[in-house]
Amino acid sequence: MNYRYQRRYAGPLQAVIFDWAGTVVDFGSFAPTQVLIDAFAGFGIDISLAEARVPMGLAKWDHIRALGDMPQVSARWQAKFGREMTDRDVDAIYEAFMPLQVAKVGQYSHLIAGALDAIAALRERGLKIGSCTGYPRVVMNALTDIAAERGYAPDCIVATDDLKPGGRPGPWMVLHNVIELGVSDVAASVKVDDTVPGIDEGLAAGMWTVGLSASGNEVGLTAEEWAALTPVAQAIKRAVAEKKLYQAGAHYVIDTIADLLPVIVDIEARIARGERP
C-alpha cells in the first residue's frame, strides 16, 4: 500500500503582502488609471476611466498593451493611424506615461483611512509587512519616499520590473517577498489586493487572499464619493466588486484595509484547524 504524507503548516501567520494603489494608498486607484488616460490622450486617443480600469493590476506596459487590444480602443487607434497598435506604439505610450506617473503619483497616493492602524495591529501580532505593485521601480522610488513621509514603510517592496519573470498574474513578486521576509511557508502569508490579477498572483503562490471592494479599482470612487452614497447604493456597488473578486478565487472580500484584522484572526483559526489556502 502506498502512503502519501501531506505536510500542513500549522503555525501562525508570518506576513501580509499588500498591493499599493487601491489597497494601502490611493482610495479608488486613480493614479494609474487617470495618468494612462492622459498618456493615450497625448496620442490623440480617448480612453474612458472605465476602460482604463479593465486591465488594472497588470504591469503598466502590459496594461497599455491590453488596452490597445480592447476592440473599441483598437478601432479608435486604427481610425486615427490606419493600422493596428504595435508593440513599438506601446513602447511610445509607455515612455510618455512614465514621467507623468512619476510626477503625479504623490498627488493621488494618500493613505487610505485606517491603513496605519491596521498595519500597526499586524505588526503587534508579529507579522511582517510585504508589498508589491504593478508600478515599475522608477515610480516606486518616488512613491516609497512619499509613503514613508506619510507614515507607511513596508518591510519589503517589489516593483513589477524588479524581476525578470514579469509581474502579475504570475506569483513571482509575492514569492520574492516570501524570500526577503524570511517566511517559512507560503501558507503563512496573506496577499491583500483590490484587483483580479492581484488575487490571481496570491493564489498562484499558494497564499491566502483578501480582496478589497470599496477602496479599490472595482468600485473606482474616491473616498468622498463612496461616503456620499446611500447605504443602498454602496451595497449595489459593493456586491458587483465582491462578486468579481470572489469569482477570481479570493478567500475573503472586505471593504477596505481598515477591516482586515478580523480576517487575519479568522485565517489563523482556520490554519489551526488544519486548513490550507
Side-chain angles (χ1 to χ4, degrees):
M1 182 178 294
N2 292 325
Y3 292 95
R4 184 183 177 189
Y5 173 70
Q6 289 186 330
R7 178 181 178 276
R8 293 185 182 275
Y9 179 75
L13 287 173
Q14 299 176 32
V16 179
I17 302 168
F18 291 100
D19 175 48
W20 281 76
T23 298
V24 179
V25 300
D26 188 4
F27 196 109
S29 197
F30 283 90
T33 49
Q34 187 58 55
V35 177
L36 277 168
I37 291 170
D38 295 341
F40 270 87
F43 289 78
I45 304 296
D46 291 330
I47 301 289
S48 71
L49 185 57
E51 289 167 340
R53 290 190 180 283
V54 172
M56 271 296 293
L58 298 178
K60 295 308 166 220
W61 192 97
D62 297 330
H63 192 151
I64 294 167
R65 177 74 270 177
L67 280 170
D69 289 339
M70 292 170 65
Q72 67 273 31
V73 177
S74 179
R76 287 174 220 152
W77 187 272
Q78 291 185 56
K80 174 76 174 177
F81 297 104
R83 57 176 174 77
E84 293 184 352
M85 181 187 288
T86 66
D87 283 355
R88 185 171 294 180
D89 295 322
V90 176
D91 290 339
I93 298 171
Y94 184 82
E95 289 174 6
F97 165 81
M98 288 311 307
L100 290 172
Q101 186 70 94
V102 172
K104 294 187 177 183
V105 68
Q107 174 183 338
Y108 296 98
S109 296
H110 294 281
L111 287 163
I112 290 169
L116 292 183
D117 288 342
I119 290 165
L122 296 177
R123 290 195 185 280
E124 287 176 4
R125 296 177 68 89
L127 291 162
K128 296 175 181 178
I129 306 300
S131 72
C132 58
T133 177
Y135 285 137
R137 174 52 59 183
V138 65
V139 176
M140 285 312 301
N141 286 341
L143 181 53
T144 298
D145 290 342
I146 292 167
E149 290 174 0
R150 295 170 180 172
Y152 177 52
D155 302 315
C156 180
I157 301 171
V158 182
T160 192
D161 58 349
D162 284 345
L163 306 175
K164 287 185 179 180
R168 301 164 182 153
W172 304 288
M173 290 195 294
V174 285
L175 291 178
H176 192 73
N177 269 268
V178 166
I179 294 168
E180 290 296 311
L181 297 173
V183 176
S184 64
D185 193 305
V186 291
S189 301
V190 180
K191 175 65 197 304
V192 183
D193 205 295
D194 65 299
T195 68
V196 168
I199 297 300
D200 289 340
E201 173 187 38
L203 294 174
M207 297 178 177
W208 299 92
T209 59
V210 181
L212 301 179
S213 57
S215 69
N217 181 66
E218 298 304 330
V219 167
L221 298 176
T222 66
E224 294 76 17
E225 289 169 339
W226 173 255
L229 294 178
T230 66
V232 171
Q234 285 185 346
I236 292 170
K237 289 187 175 294
R238 180 187 294 113
V240 174
E242 285 181 343
K243 181 178 180 180
K244 191 167 184 179
L245 292 165
Y246 275 128
Q247 285 180 336
H251 296 95
Y252 301 83
V253 179
I254 55 179
D255 275 5
T256 78
I257 187 174
D259 307 308
L260 183 60
L261 190 57
V263 170
I264 297 300
V265 172
D266 192 63
I267 291 173
E268 290 196 323
R270 292 175 68 175
I271 292 173
R273 294 196 298 267
E275 295 185 44
R276 288 187 66 87

